[in-house]
Amino acid sequence: MTSEDVERLLIQFQDENGEVLGSPFDVPLDITPEKLQLVCNALLQKEEPVPLAFFVRGEAEVVSSLGLCVKALGVETEQVLPVVYQPQAVFRVRAVARCTSTLQGHTEAVISTAFSPTGKYLASGSGDTTVRFWDLTTETPHHTARGHTHWVLSIAWSPDGKKLASGCKNSQICLWDPVTGTQIGKTLAGHSKWITWLCWEPLHLNPECRYLASSSKDGSIRIWDTVLGRCEKILTSHTQSVTCVKWGGDGLLYTSSQDRTVKVWRAKDGVQCRTLQGHAHWVNTLALSTDYVLRTGAFEPATATINPQDLTGSLEELKERALQRYTKVRGQAPERLVSGSDDFTLFLWNPAEDKKPLARMTGHSALVNEVLFSPDTRLLASASFDKSIKIWDGRTGKYLMSLRGHVGSVYQVAWSADSRLLVSGSSDSTLKVWDVKTGKLNMDLPGHADEVYAVDWSPDGQRVASGGKDKCLRIWRR
């Protein structure tokens, strides 16, 4: 077969929102993604070309050549074929491969662990009633924050990285300074049962990081003014324990509850906007498509250095940077919400506009413990007690793949900042790093002596931290 005989077809590039780029283009069927990239970047005319992924009709990714994709989908080569291009992260996070430190200190199980927004600090909350801060440059214990009188169930970093909030089973909330390990202000008391979740107001709405939302087993949500140390609002309407609260970037609060509903509130005046119904059992967990960008605030993972630094700049600059990042990730459409439940299903919602779900996602054969959008919002990972992690399309809720390998319940997952890798912690005492593009196991990380309850990947991509029943915090690196 000579070069003149290669089959050709017309393709039309378009972005994820369906905006057409240029006019239809005549290409050979055996064109590779690299060549498509050259063509597409030439049409985009960006100064610095970005890596792109291509999807025929927006569903099948072009991996080796366009022809194979066309064959697999059984598409007519007579018509113009729409090819969707997706910009990928310009940086790559390398998979963690070894445990560099085992940090002892907690005397009970580690229940939660979290990196600060820039990845400079690491905090963990434990059943021994303390919050501990760890020094990441030397990977040694830094401060032990004592103040709670019962298990620390939830911790949350303010998006500027200057404060950590922790909530305990005795229904108290404390604020800590990561530099000194001392308590900021007084203990916030008011809930009558334990704290289930904490969430700060986004940085681009208030660069002072002043307000904190907490949800509790007592069925209420409270908004605290952390500067004055008092409760601003109490939101009540749920009839059972509130399991999760998220503070969205458009001024809405989202809460999930064991009364089987998800409720949407206006943050500024506490008015209830909507009740999202559909789950047949407790709603355990929520995820916002903008979670990652809200968590990291003004910090851009692509600019990360080897030694993480605190963010510099005036409040206005930080607010501006955070707002730019937020609008870029959010795009044209409002943020999406996913809820995971004890009824084994997930629902994808567009809570700002509609009380009907966009999709009901089924497939798990046990309760869903955690859901998480990838940083670029295109994918969604759900961790379940059926030992699997499932990956779904973040826009449509369509099922993409299952990641199998754990032999116990999967408790928590965390995305790498470039959305290409996922790490999971399980009751089988291992962590596993998955390559989400291929759906294959990238790294198996044994090391813990018992169940792994908490796992987090630092936003600068350098480290993974995990904690669990063996009371040790482990740090994993490349």
Side-chain angles (χ1 to χ4, degrees):
M1 192 166 162
T2 55
S3 56
E4 285 85 59
D5 303 338
V6 175
E7 258 194 276
R8 304 183 73 83
L9 86 163
L10 282 171
I11 60 169
Q12 171 68 69
F13 288 115
Q14 53 189 49
D15 71 6
E16 294 163 281
N17 305 325
E19 294 273 327
V20 175
L21 171 70
S23 49
F25 219 87
D26 178 41
V27 296
L29 253 184
D30 57 6
I31 190 167
T32 60
E34 291 74 39
K35 299 240 178 72
L36 279 171
Q37 190 149 319
L38 289 172
V39 176
C40 195
N41 272 321
L43 290 171
L44 282 167
Q45 295 172 336
K46 286 254 177 69
E47 287 124 45
E48 296 175 2
V50 291
L52 301 166
F54 298 96
F55 295 83
V56 174
R57 284 189 179 162
E59 47 192 287
E61 186 177 354
V62 182
V63 185
S64 52
S65 78
L66 187 61
L68 290 172
C69 242
V70 171
K71 205 185 254 168
L73 284 174
V75 186
E76 283 288 317
T77 51
E78 304 296 311
Q79 290 121 356
V80 177
L81 187 66
V83 172
V84 176
Y85 64 91
Q86 284 186 357
Q88 304 293 301
V90 287
F91 60 99
R92 265 187 189 277
V93 172
R94 294 167 68 185
V96 292
R98 62 202 167 93
C99 177
T100 53
S101 300
T102 301
L103 304 175
Q104 289 164 336
H106 281 300
T107 54
E108 286 293 331
V110 179
I111 299 171
S112 50
T113 168
F115 285 96
S116 69
T118 61
K120 184 173 180 184
Y121 304 105
L122 172 66
S124 59
S126 160
D128 65 8
T129 76
T130 66
V131 172
R132 283 175 187 258
F133 293 96
W134 310 88
D135 182 351
L136 287 174
T137 38
T138 55
E139 302 194 352
T140 51
H142 208 180
H143 303 293
T144 303
R146 301 176 198 281
H148 287 294
T149 50
H150 210 320
W151 304 341
V152 179
L153 299 176
S154 173
I155 60 176
W157 284 96
S158 62
D160 63 359
K162 296 199 171 90
K163 302 189 278 278
L164 178 88
S166 60
C168 74
K169 202 165 175 199
N170 247 1
S171 63
Q172 291 169 329
I173 299 165
C174 297
L175 303 171
W176 311 96
D177 177 355
V179 183
T180 59
T182 52
Q183 191 172 343
I184 305 171
K186 57 179 205 281
T187 303
L188 307 175
H191 281 298
S192 58
K193 286 195 179 145
W194 65 79
I195 311 292
T196 54
W197 206 272
L198 297 165
C199 193
W200 290 85
E201 181 175 21
L203 191 68
H204 67 266
L205 297 180
N206 182 355
E208 291 173 15
C209 296
R210 183 168 180 172
Y211 296 101
L212 173 74
S214 63
S215 63
S216 164
K217 171 86 170 130
D218 64 15
S220 71
I221 300 100
R222 284 175 183 251
I223 297 178
W224 306 87
D225 182 332
T226 60
V227 177
L228 299 176
R230 65 166 190 222
C231 179
E232 285 281 298
K233 299 184 192 67
I234 306 177
L235 314 179
T236 53
S237 166
H238 281 299
T239 54
Q240 277 176 330
S241 168
V242 185
T243 52
C244 187
V245 57
K246 293 279 179 187
W247 198 317
D250 301 335
L252 294 171
L253 283 166
Y254 310 97
T255 58
S256 61
S257 164
Q258 293 187 347
D259 65 11
R260 310 199 303 279
T261 66
V262 174
K263 290 187 189 285
V264 184
W265 318 75
R266 246 200 338 253
K268 64 172 192 290
D269 49 11
V271 172
Q272 186 183 328
C273 310
R274 276 190 186 81
T275 300
L276 310 178
Q277 288 170 321
H279 282 298
H281 208 312
W282 297 351
V283 188
N284 296 327
T285 173
L286 292 176
L288 272 176
S289 58
T290 51
D291 266 344
Y292 203 83
V293 70
L294 295 179
R295 167 192 172 175
T296 47
F299 170 71
E300 175 53 66
T303 61
T305 50
I306 293 286
N307 289 331
Q309 302 301 321
D310 275 329
L311 291 170
T312 51
S314 66
L315 288 180
E316 273 311 304
E317 286 166 29
L318 290 179
K319 179 175 181 176
E320 191 46 46
R321 261 188 287 167
L323 185 61
Q324 279 171 0
R325 293 192 61 228
Y326 174 74
T327 30
K328 187 177 160 200
V329 168
R330 177 182 178 267
Q332 306 298 306
E335 50 195 4
R336 302 179 300 286
L337 183 77
V338 162
S339 54
S341 159
D342 264 24
D343 66 6
F344 311 171
T345 69
L346 303 113
F347 276 95
L348 179 64
W349 313 87
N350 182 356
E353 294 174 348
D354 197 5
K355 61 177 193 189
K356 289 197 171 58
L358 294 173
R360 177 169 183 256
M361 291 126 78
T362 58
H364 280 299
S365 54
L367 71 90
V368 178
N369 198 48
E370 193 183 33
V371 283
L372 216 54
F373 274 93
S374 62
D376 63 12
T377 78
R378 291 188 189 123
L379 297 171
L380 225 159
S382 58
S384 163
F385 281 17
D386 66 8
K387 308 175 189 161
S388 77
I389 300 136
K390 292 194 190 305
I391 305 288
W392 318 77
D393 184 303
R395 286 194 164 69
T396 60
K398 184 176 155 221
Y399 168 75
L400 299 174
M401 63 179 103
S402 289
L403 308 177
R404 299 189 185 277
H406 280 298
V407 291
S409 305
V410 186
Y411 288 133
Q412 259 201 340
V413 290
W415 287 93
S416 66
D418 63 355
S419 310
R420 292 184 177 105
L421 299 167
L422 184 78
V423 63
S424 55
S426 156
S427 68
D428 66 10
S429 86
T430 68
L431 282 97
K432 292 188 188 331
V433 181
W434 308 89
D435 183 325
V436 183
K437 191 138 258 186
T438 59
K440 294 206 165 49
L441 180 67
N442 187 315
M443 274 292 168
D444 191 5
L445 304 173
H448 278 284
D450 213 328
E451 312 196 0
V452 182
Y453 294 142
V455 56
D456 193 20
W457 201 314
S458 69
D460 64 358
Q462 297 270 335
R463 299 174 179 81
V464 167
S466 60
K469 209 168 169 177
D470 65 1
K471 308 171 194 168
C472 287
L473 202 71
R474 284 172 193 269
I475 295 185
W476 309 83
R477 297 188 63 170
R478 174 64 219 163

